[in-house]
Amino acid sequence: MPLPRTLAFLNLLSLGAAAIPAAAATTILFIGNSFTYGDPAGAAPLVREYRPDTVTDLNGTHLGGVPALFKAFTLQAGLDYEVSLETSPGKGLDWHYENRLATIAKPFDKVVLQSYSTMDGAHPGDPATLVKYAGLLAQAFHDKNPKVDVRLAATWSRADQTYKQGGAWYGQPIQKMALDVRAGYDKAKQASELIGGVIPVGQAWNRAFASGLADDNPYDGKVAGINLWAPDSYHGSVYGYYLEALTIFVHITGRDPRSLGAQDQVAQDLGIGADIAVALQEAAASVK
C-alpha cells in the first residue's frame, strides 16, 4: 500500500537530511615551547596540565597548556575546533623543522607558530633564524593544504632580560623587548606570502602594563597590579598565559574575547577573579 503523500514527503526530507554530512571541525596546530605549553610547572593551578584530554599532543607528552585554554574558549563560543600541539622546551622554529617535520607536516586548516623568546638563543634580538624557518614551515604546511592559514605568535618581554644585568634588553623600557620581537615576526611575515599574520601577544602584555592592570617590574619590591610573569620573571603566570590564549583566540577566530565575560569558565578554572578576567579580555581585544 503506498504511503500517504505527506508521510512520503517527510521520509524524503529525512533521507535528504541524513545524506548531508556534518561540517568538519576546523583543525589547528600549535607549535612552540614552554611559552606555548605553560611552564613552569609550579604555577597553580597548572596551565600545562589544563584539560589535556581535549587536545592532541603530537609528542605524546599529554600537555594541555595554551592550546587547551584556546579549545575551551572555542567551546564556550560555540565553535568546533580540533586542536593539536607540538612543543619542546627552549626550542625555536628551526628545531621543530629539523626534528619534527614528519610529525607536524599534515593538512591542518590553521597553524600557530611560536619561536624562542629572544628570537635566537645564541644571538638575542636577531630575527634571521626566525625569518628563515617560519618561511620553511609555512611552505611545508602549504604543501599539505594550499588553503592553510599560518599565523605567528609574537611573545612578551622577559623581565629577567630587561631588569637584570647581562640581559639582552637591560636598561631599556620593559615594553621594548616585546616590540622588538614583534618587529622580528613582522619581518618573517613580510618574507613569506604564505604567512597570514602576526598575533600580538607581547603587545597585549604591554597594554596590561600601560593600563595599570599588571605590574611592569617584579624586581622593585613594589606590588602594582597582577604579575603576568611566573616567579622566574621569564615564563608566564596563569594571568600571563590566560592573556596569551585570549589574544590568540581573537586573532584566530575573529571573536571578541570580551564575549566570554565575567563568567568565563577558563578564568574560573585558573582561579582568576571575574574583574581581572574582564580586564585581561579587554587587553586582548585592544591590540592588533
Side-chain angles (χ1 to χ4, degrees):
M1 177 177 172
L3 290 171
R5 288 185 179 181
T6 301
L7 183 56
F9 177 70
L10 291 175
N11 282 343
L12 285 173
L13 285 179
S14 177
L15 289 171
I20 299 173
T26 299
T27 58
I28 183 170
L29 173 65
F30 288 78
I31 295 176
N33 48 47
S34 55
F35 277 33
T36 295
Y37 68 70
D39 239 5
L46 302 178
V47 171
R48 63 185 286 164
E49 296 178 5
Y50 187 81
R51 301 186 183 184
D53 293 331
T54 65
V55 297
T56 300
D57 184 343
L58 298 183
N59 290 333
T61 46
H62 206 56
L63 297 172
V66 169
L69 304 186
F70 171 87
K71 171 68 175 182
F73 293 150
T74 64
L75 289 173
Q76 291 181 91
L79 303 174
D80 189 7
Y81 272 77
E82 183 179 307
V83 179
S84 299
L85 65 147
E86 189 281 302
T87 60
S88 186
K91 303 298 195 302
L93 295 180
D94 53 324
W95 186 89
H96 296 280
Y97 183 84
E98 299 291 352
N99 295 275
R100 292 289 185 269
L101 189 60
T103 299
I104 61 180
K106 310 292 182 185
F108 290 98
D109 298 315
K110 298 177 183 289
V111 177
V112 177
L113 303 175
Q114 175 253 306
S115 197
Y116 189 68
S117 59
T118 63
M119 294 186 284
D120 188 316
H123 307 283
D126 185 349
T129 298
L130 165 67
V131 171
K132 175 181 177 180
Y133 284 93
L136 288 172
L137 283 167
Q139 183 64 62
F141 287 113
H142 184 267
D143 289 345
K144 296 296 182 179
N145 176 15
K147 296 182 179 180
V148 65
D149 181 6
V150 178
R151 303 294 179 99
L152 308 177
T155 54
W156 54 84
S157 296
R158 286 172 46 180
D160 65 324
Q161 286 285 327
T162 300
Y163 295 113
K164 295 179 70 174
Q165 288 191 6
W169 282 265
Y170 177 67
Q172 299 187 61
I174 189 61
Q175 297 84 359
K176 185 64 164 54
M177 179 177 175
L179 295 177
D180 288 349
V181 170
R182 171 63 191 266
Y185 278 79
D186 282 342
K187 287 183 178 179
K189 178 187 179 300
Q190 293 161 7
S192 172
E193 61 182 11
L194 303 179
I195 295 174
V198 178
I199 302 172
V201 175
Q203 288 165 281
W205 279 46
N206 284 354
R207 186 60 59 91
F209 298 144
S211 69
L213 171 63
D215 190 348
D216 65 1
N217 187 348
Y219 292 103
D220 63 5
K222 303 174 184 178
V223 179
I226 61 173
N227 192 348
L228 295 176
W229 292 286
D232 60 7
S233 299
Y234 174 171
H235 295 89
S237 66
V238 291
Y239 300 113
Y241 287 118
Y242 180 72
L243 180 53
E244 177 184 10
L246 287 168
T247 309
I248 292 172
F249 172 72
V250 60
H251 284 267
I252 291 296
T253 69
R255 298 295 182 93
D256 190 331
R258 293 169 294 194
S259 63
L260 298 166
Q263 302 305 313
D264 172 41
Q265 187 60 53
V266 176
Q268 293 179 34
D269 292 342
L270 296 178
I272 298 173
D275 290 348
I276 298 299
V278 169
L280 289 168
Q281 292 164 16
E282 180 66 38
S286 64
V287 292
K288 297 181 179 179

